[in-house]
């Protein structure tokens, strides 16, 4: 579901069973849990949104963010604790068309007043020129853009759409 305004007054807000919460506004809850025993996705798009309370990424959950043309990524500010499981959790990064990236660019995607417990297990992205690595820095979860050097494999039925210049060791097209 997508928020049309701020959400307040909840003890717990859970996103489970393949559900996606497109979080466009602030949430006040004791705990916001993504996954909760089954898969779930929190998508902040390219917005900066806040959880007043605690945030939990349970096993097999996804945090989705978008890096926009102005070079900023969607970010979640958490006032309480931020707990991230390392079992099957992932960050899904979308890069808007026309966005210019440089190797070493850093994006804060989860800003916490305390400490983030761990970085997610994996990062997936839709950009052919860069891979992203999630790590912890000063209590925050950050993404670092690393130049992708290949090999690049494009299987039957897949396409490559990129407005970024990229350098690959090799490109394989087809099976």
């Amino acid at each position: 579901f997508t928020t049309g305004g701020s959400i307040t007054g909840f003890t717990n807000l859970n996103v489970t069973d393949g559900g996606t919460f497109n979080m466009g506004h602030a949430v006040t809850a004791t705990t916001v849990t993504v996954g909760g025993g089954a898969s779930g996705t929190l998508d902040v798009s390219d917005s900066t949104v806040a959880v007043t309370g605690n945030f939990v990424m349970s096993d097999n959950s996804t945090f989705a963010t978008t890096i926009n043309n102005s070079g900023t990524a969607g970010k979640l500010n958490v006032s309480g604790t931020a707990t991230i499981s390392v079992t099957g959790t992932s960050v899904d990064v979308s890069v808007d068309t026309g966005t210019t990236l440089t190797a070493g660019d850093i994006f804060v995607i989860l800003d916490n007043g305390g400490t983030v417990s761990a970085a997610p297990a994996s990062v997936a992205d839709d950009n052919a020129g860069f891979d992203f690595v999630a790590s912890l820095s000063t209590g925050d979860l950050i993404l670092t853009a690393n130049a992708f050097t290949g090999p690049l494999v494009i299987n039957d039925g897949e396409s490559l759409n990129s407005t970024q210049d990229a350098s690959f060791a090799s490109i394989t097209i087809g099976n």
Side-chain angles (χ1 to χ4, degrees), residues 42-110:
L42 176 69
D43 189 344
V44 298
S45 186
D46 63 354
S47 302
T48 297
V49 292
V51 168
T52 303
N54 302 313
F55 175 68
V56 176
M57 274 185 75
S58 296
D59 294 355
N60 305 312
S61 61
T62 301
F63 181 94
T65 184
T66 299
I67 300 172
N68 63 27
N69 296 350
S70 63
T72 58
K75 177 171 67 172
L76 179 65
N77 293 324
V78 178
S79 69
T81 61
T83 305
I84 299 174
S85 168
V86 295
T87 304
T89 54
S90 64
V91 175
D92 186 11
V93 182
S94 293
V95 180
D96 281 348
T97 300
T99 300
T100 300
L101 297 171
T102 302
D105 283 351
I106 295 174
F107 304 93
V108 176
I109 60 169
L110 196 156

